[in-house]
């Protein structure tokens, strides 16, 4: 957080996602990042609570004033209940960063009376700092606001700016829901292994380690999925035999296109 003059941050909701964010910010404070933290959470994880107290964070304050940045990480259905609490932290200059799925920039602006609003969509590997978070900023946000938000989201993993809010539905369908598709791939691979005579536990370990290892290889080498796939596919070999099936007319490509389209459509409906 070194590029900014001691921003004051209030976080509402330190659950799975909010907790991952604030753990990263605690590290930044320890390294002399100069930020001040206020956290509102009815049910603190005791270890997180102790770590916050150690860095002088203010927890569940009775009185609150405007902060530089307010972060909302409660469930979307809690937003209406949390709004009065959140308002105590909002002044004319406050940026609002929300990771609540489906809550629009308009709704956030209207409920909180803030113009500098940023809406972000993380995904579940964020819990271990390996997620990807896409965000979109309201027109009132400055380049500095966007840079600050990118820094604040870093504890969750990589960060991708989006040019338009309407793309949030597609992002929800691709990276938001995407980890579940990969888990399903591992489940199906394990089931196929069992069909070939491998026992259930070994099949699950083989499939999980294969999915995890392939993902890690892609991340660490920085090579594209396509390039890595070609590297392991020798002409006439076993991988090619499988890929011929997976690339067919009824194969993985058309199936995933339909799956992503269905999830995008569902996200649009839920946002209405
Ligand atoms: N998990 C994901 O993969 C994912 C992906 C994309 C987006 N998101 C978004 O991230 C947000 C947080 O999700 P999560 O998985 O971190 O949920 P979570 O673990 O349930 O965290 C929400 C936290 O907010 C707390 N809270 C509830 N009411 C509150 C209040 N009035 N004031 C202050 N804190 C309050 C909850 O406390 P209690 O436990 O006592 O209720 C909980 O600790 C959601 O809006 C979700 O849409 C999550």
């Amino acid at each position: 957080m070194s590029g900014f003059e001691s921003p004051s941050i209030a976080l509402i909701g330190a659950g799975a996602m909010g907790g991952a964010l604030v753990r990263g910010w605690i590290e930044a404070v320890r390294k002399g990042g100069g930020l001040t933290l206020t956290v509102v959470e009815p049910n603190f994880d005791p270890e997180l609570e102790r770590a916050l107290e150690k860095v002088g964070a203010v927890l569940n304050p009775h009185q609150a004033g405007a902060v530089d940045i307010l972060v909302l990480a409660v469930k979307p259905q809690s937003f209406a209940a949390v709004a009065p609490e959140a308002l105590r932290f909002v002044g004319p200059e406050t940026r609002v960063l929300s990771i609540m799925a489906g809550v629009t920039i308009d709704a956030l602006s209207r409920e909180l009376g803030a113009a500098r609003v940023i809406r972000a969509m993380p995904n579940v590997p964020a819990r271990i700092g390996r997620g990807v978070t896409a965000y979109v900023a309201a027109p009132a946000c400055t380049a500095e606001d966007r840079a600050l938000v990118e820094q604040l989201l870093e504890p969750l993993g990589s960060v991708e700016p989006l040019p338009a809010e309407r793309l949030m539905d597609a992002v929800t369908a691709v990276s938001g829901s995407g980890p579940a598709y990969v888990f399903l791939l591992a489940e199906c691979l394990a089931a196929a292994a069992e069909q070939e005579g491998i026992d259930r536990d070994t099949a699950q370990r083989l499939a999980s380690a294969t999915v995890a290892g392939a993902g890690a290889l892609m991340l660490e080498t920085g090579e594209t999925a396509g390039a890595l796939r070609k590297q392991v596919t020798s002409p006439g070999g076993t991988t090619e035999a499988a890929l011929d099936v997976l690339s067919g007319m009824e194969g993985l490509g058309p199936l995933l296109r339909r799956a992503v389209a269905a999830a995008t459509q569902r996200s649009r409906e839920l946002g209405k």
Side-chain angles (χ1 to χ4, degrees):
M1 305 293 145
S2 50
F4 291 87
E5 302 247 323
S6 314
S8 55
I9 305 168
L11 169 72
I12 304 191
M17 287 291 158
L21 277 171
V22 82
R23 282 186 182 89
W25 302 339
I26 289 170
E27 266 321 293
V29 177
R30 284 203 193 109
K31 288 179 187 154
L35 59 166
T36 58
L37 285 175
T38 303
V39 184
V40 179
E41 164 61 53
N43 239 327
F44 267 110
D45 166 53
E47 196 190 311
L48 179 62
E49 190 172 12
R50 278 194 298 278
L52 280 164
E53 279 166 351
K54 262 195 193 157
V55 296
V58 178
L59 309 185
N60 297 324
H62 289 297
Q63 295 197 323
V67 291
D68 293 324
I69 182 149
L70 168 69
V71 183
L72 293 168
V74 296
K75 297 272 193 223
Q77 57 271 31
S78 305
F79 178 47
V82 162
E85 168 86 31
L87 269 171
R88 306 191 300 154
F89 294 100
V90 179
E93 297 300 315
T94 303
R95 301 99 169 152
V96 173
L97 166 62
S98 160
I99 62 162
M100 296 181 292
V103 181
T104 61
I105 288 179
D106 256 6
L108 291 160
S109 286
R110 199 173 51 240
E111 295 296 323
L112 302 174
R116 293 157 85 177
V117 173
I118 296 102
R119 177 180 167 196
M121 166 60 60
N123 66 359
V124 77
R127 280 170 40 195
I128 56 159
R130 302 292 283 270
V132 57
T133 304
Y135 78 91
V136 60
C141 292
T142 64
E144 201 189 36
D145 292 344
R146 283 190 287 271
L148 174 57
V149 157
E150 289 198 9
Q151 280 188 321
L152 289 179
L153 289 171
E154 261 170 28
L156 301 184
S158 60
V159 181
E160 297 285 343
L162 289 179
E165 190 176 12
R166 65 182 165 75
L167 297 174
M168 268 296 177
D169 294 311
V171 164
T172 303
V174 174
S175 54
S177 301
Y181 317 156
V182 179
F183 299 139
L184 179 63
L185 177 71
E187 286 179 77
C188 292
L189 190 56
E194 271 193 79
Q195 289 266 302
E196 295 295 332
I198 299 174
D199 71 84
R200 175 165 297 185
D201 288 350
T202 309
Q204 280 179 2
R205 284 197 302 275
L206 285 174
S208 302
T210 300
V211 168
L217 185 68
M218 193 158 53
L219 207 61
E220 280 178 30
T221 59
E223 296 208 48
T224 64
L228 287 167
R229 173 178 52 76
K230 283 181 192 129
Q231 280 169 32
V232 291
T233 314
S234 356
T238 57
T239 310
E240 192 181 68
L243 291 183
D244 283 346
V245 177
L246 289 171
S247 315
M249 293 279 284
E250 303 287 312
L252 204 52
L255 204 56
L256 269 179
R257 270 199 294 283
R258 276 170 40 213
V260 167
T264 306
Q265 181 54 29
R266 186 70 188 131
S267 174
R268 277 192 202 115
E269 286 162 11
L270 289 174
K272 276 179 193 153

